[in-house]
């Protein structure tokens, strides 16, 4: 029944556009395919078809996003696994108050609708892959509600914004052995400041902090994620026909809590996550009024955690470098298309997903079209 729920949401948004003729609606779909192999002879692929529907009328906007995904792995032990399913549907609504108060305000209300797959068996759990290897690493959760509020103020050369969010996550059956899984809530704060040094150069700083509630399994406390801190800086440069943006950011995670011998949660002795560092460079070139060429280069480094190498909780260093190129074409005011190609290298030590060192090589091809009504 879950795919039918997703289809019903799509139909409702389209009907809403017919009821309100002034509503602007756009639909985007396409296909994204990722192939990879490794020096340990592990291969796999993931293909997904996303569908995004955006609707706006005045200061109110709504977005519906879902996808169908097929994942296949071919490990070196000659076993094969594959799974094809719909994923959860995201429903995002927002209302903007601009130019009416001393600060501009954006109210948001986001939902995760459980149209994907949960209650995984042992073979399906093998499809839960590293999120640095695949785009879709989880296929379903429970019913989640995420209200947010963002406030922004802008001057002649500067701008600042602060956002606050609260995510309530509903209970669901994660797997055959993890029934009645109740993930904890998440509270987060984001902030960004920017300053235009000249008409061409702009700098920005940004950050985020998040605090996690306790996950429960049945009636027992199961886990609590360590606090999350992100800090970053960026610089943008723009000309008439091209622009470039460079940003760097760091992520630091606090110690998590696990059940102790008395079944009560206790903070781990050492940090289970290594610090993360990411550099991201994007360049866009306007070839003509209808065609834009873009490229993206990014580098990720995750340091090893604080556990000894002979400890089962040890996670080794990870590095990933990716280079992508895409072409966007505006065929008409209502219709556009995009094609992209990306290659990447992912060097991983021992982690939760495998107990050996691996180097992955991968390629991603994605094609999308957008139609406005």
């Amino acid at each position: 029944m879950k795919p039918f729920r997703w289809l019903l949401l799509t139909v409702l948004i389209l009907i809403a556009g017919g009821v309100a003729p002034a509503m602007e609606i756009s639909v985007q779909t396409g296909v994204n395919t990722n192939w990879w192999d490794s020096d340990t002879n592990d291969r796999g692929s993931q293909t997904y078809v996303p569908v995004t529907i955006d609707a706006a009328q005045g200061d109110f906007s709504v977005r519906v996003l879902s996808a169908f995904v097929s994942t296949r792995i071919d490990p070196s032990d000659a076993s094969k696994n594959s799974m094809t399913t719909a994923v959860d549907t995201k429903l995002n609504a927002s209302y903007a108050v601009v130019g009416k108060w001393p600060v501009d305000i954006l109210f948001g209300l986001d939902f995760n609708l459980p149209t994907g797959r949960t209650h995984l068996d042992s073979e399906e759990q093998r499809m839960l892959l590293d999120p640095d290897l695949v785009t879709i690493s989880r296929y379903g959760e429970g019913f989640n509600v995420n209200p947010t509020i963002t406030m922004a103020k802008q001057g002649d050369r500067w701008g600042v914004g602060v956002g606050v969010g609260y995510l309530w996550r509903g209970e669901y059956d994660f797997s055959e052995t993890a029934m009645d899984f109740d993930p904890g809530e998440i509270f987060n704060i984001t902030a960004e400041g920017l300053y235009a040094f000249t008409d061409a150069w702009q700098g920005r700083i940004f950050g985020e902090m998040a605090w996690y509630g306790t996950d429960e399994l049945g009636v027992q406390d199961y886990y609590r994620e360590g606090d999350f801190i992100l800090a970053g800086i960026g610089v943008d440069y723009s000309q008439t026909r091209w622009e470039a943006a460079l940003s760097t950011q760091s992520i630091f995670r606090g110690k998590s809590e696990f059940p102790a011998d008395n079944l009560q949660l206790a903070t781990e002795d050492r940090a289970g996550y290594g610090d993360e560092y990411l550099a991201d460079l994007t360049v866009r070139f306007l070839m003509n009024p209808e065609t834009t060429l873009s490229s993206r280069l990014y580098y990720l480094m995750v340091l090893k955690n604080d556990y000894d190498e002979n400890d089962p909780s040890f996670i080794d260093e990870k590095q990933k470098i990716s280079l992508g190129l895409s072409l966007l074409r505006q065929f008409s005011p209502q219709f556009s298309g995009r094609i992209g190609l990306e290659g990447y290298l992912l060097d991983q030590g021992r982690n939760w997903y495998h107990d050996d060192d691996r180097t992955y090589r991968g390629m991603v091809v994605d094609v999308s079209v957008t139609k406005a009504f």
Side-chain angles (χ1 to χ4, degrees):
M1 288 297 292
K2 288 184 177 180
F4 291 100
R5 299 180 198 170
W6 175 85
L7 181 61
L8 177 60
L9 286 168
T10 302
V11 173
L12 287 175
I13 294 299
L14 293 176
I15 291 175
V19 173
M23 181 172 284
E24 300 176 358
I25 295 179
S26 66
V27 178
Q28 182 181 87
T29 188
V31 61
N32 178 296
T33 300
N34 175 7
W35 300 274
W36 69 84
D37 63 9
S38 75
D39 56 357
T40 57
N41 202 31
D42 290 272
R43 297 179 297 275
S45 65
Q46 183 179 87
T47 298
Y48 63 92
V49 178
V51 177
T52 304
I53 302 172
D54 290 292
Q57 185 175 23
D59 296 327
F60 177 76
S61 63
V62 63
R63 165 174 285 190
V64 178
L65 169 64
S66 193
F68 289 94
V69 59
S70 179
T71 305
R72 177 183 177 86
I73 58 174
D74 187 3
S76 57
D77 60 7
S79 64
K80 295 181 180 180
N81 292 85
S82 63
M83 183 169 68
T84 300
T85 181
V87 299
D88 282 355
T89 299
K90 309 296 183 182
L91 175 60
N92 311 122
S94 64
Y95 181 76
V97 181
V98 180
K100 300 177 182 179
W101 294 343
V103 296
D104 297 331
I105 300 180
L106 179 68
F107 299 96
L109 185 60
D110 304 334
F111 299 90
N112 182 82
L113 306 177
T115 56
R117 180 174 295 191
T118 57
H119 200 159
L120 305 177
D121 61 30
S122 58
E123 290 189 354
E124 291 171 337
Q125 290 181 57
R126 300 184 67 185
M127 299 295 103
L128 302 177
L129 304 176
D130 190 326
D132 288 313
L133 184 62
V134 294
T135 302
I136 299 177
S137 57
R138 297 293 183 267
Y139 303 98
E141 296 183 63
F143 176 72
N144 302 338
V145 182
N146 181 203
T148 61
I149 181 171
T150 303
M151 295 174 288
K153 180 70 174 179
Q154 186 169 350
D156 292 336
R157 288 191 172 274
W158 59 271
V160 293
V162 177
V164 178
Y166 172 77
L167 174 59
W168 178 86
R169 298 188 287 180
E171 182 180 297
Y172 67 101
D173 295 334
F174 176 78
S175 68
E176 292 181 337
T177 57
M179 306 286 285
D180 300 325
F181 176 62
D182 187 3
E185 69 279 2
I186 303 173
F187 177 77
N188 74 299
I189 298 176
T190 60
E192 182 171 7
L194 59 88
Y195 184 81
F197 300 101
T198 67
D199 292 340
W201 288 94
Q202 176 178 280
R204 56 195 176 93
I205 58 174
F206 54 93
E208 179 182 0
M209 298 184 67
W211 298 267
Y212 295 81
T214 301
D215 299 345
E216 297 179 358
L217 193 59
V219 297
Q220 180 66 46
D221 290 347
Y222 177 72
Y223 174 71
R224 194 187 75 81
E225 182 90 1
D227 298 336
F228 172 98
I229 299 176
L230 180 150
I233 59 173
V235 60
D236 302 337
Y237 181 76
S238 62
Q239 288 293 321
T240 303
R241 297 186 61 183
W242 68 278
E243 61 183 24
L246 173 64
S247 66
T248 61
Q249 66 181 46
S250 303
I251 296 176
F252 310 98
R253 303 175 191 267
K255 295 180 180 180
S256 301
E257 296 181 8
F258 295 89
D261 294 337
N262 61 0
L263 300 182
Q264 299 298 314
L265 292 185
T267 302
E268 58 183 336
D269 295 331
R270 305 182 183 186
Y273 289 101
D275 296 337
E276 303 178 29
Y277 302 92
L278 173 66
D280 194 334
L281 173 64
T282 302
V283 179
R284 296 183 181 88
F285 176 66
L286 184 65
M287 301 176 65
N288 56 55
E290 295 81 25
T291 309
T292 303
L293 180 66
S294 302
S295 66
R296 183 190 183 206
L297 173 67
Y298 82 87
Y299 172 74
L300 169 70
M301 172 181 282
V302 183
L303 303 182
K304 62 183 180 180
N305 67 9
D306 290 343
Y307 286 89
D308 296 329
E309 294 189 7
N310 58 354
D311 193 294
S313 298
F314 174 73
I315 298 177
D316 208 347
E317 185 178 275
K318 173 196 300 185
Q319 297 185 69
K320 181 179 181 180
I321 187 168
S322 168
L323 176 62
L325 189 68
S326 66
L327 186 68
L328 174 65
R329 176 72 177 181
Q330 191 74 41
F331 297 104
S332 73
Q334 291 78 34
F335 183 69
S336 64
R338 178 187 178 278
I339 184 170
L341 177 66
E342 175 191 352
Y344 63 87
L345 289 174
L346 174 61
D347 186 17
Q348 289 186 322
R350 194 179 89 198
N351 60 17
W352 293 331
Y353 300 94
H354 49 78
D355 57 4
D356 53 6
D357 296 337
R358 296 184 182 183
T359 298
Y360 291 94
R361 301 165 295 271
M363 182 176 67
V364 181
V365 177
D366 68 282
V367 179
S368 65
V369 292
T370 303
K371 172 65 176 176
F373 299 91

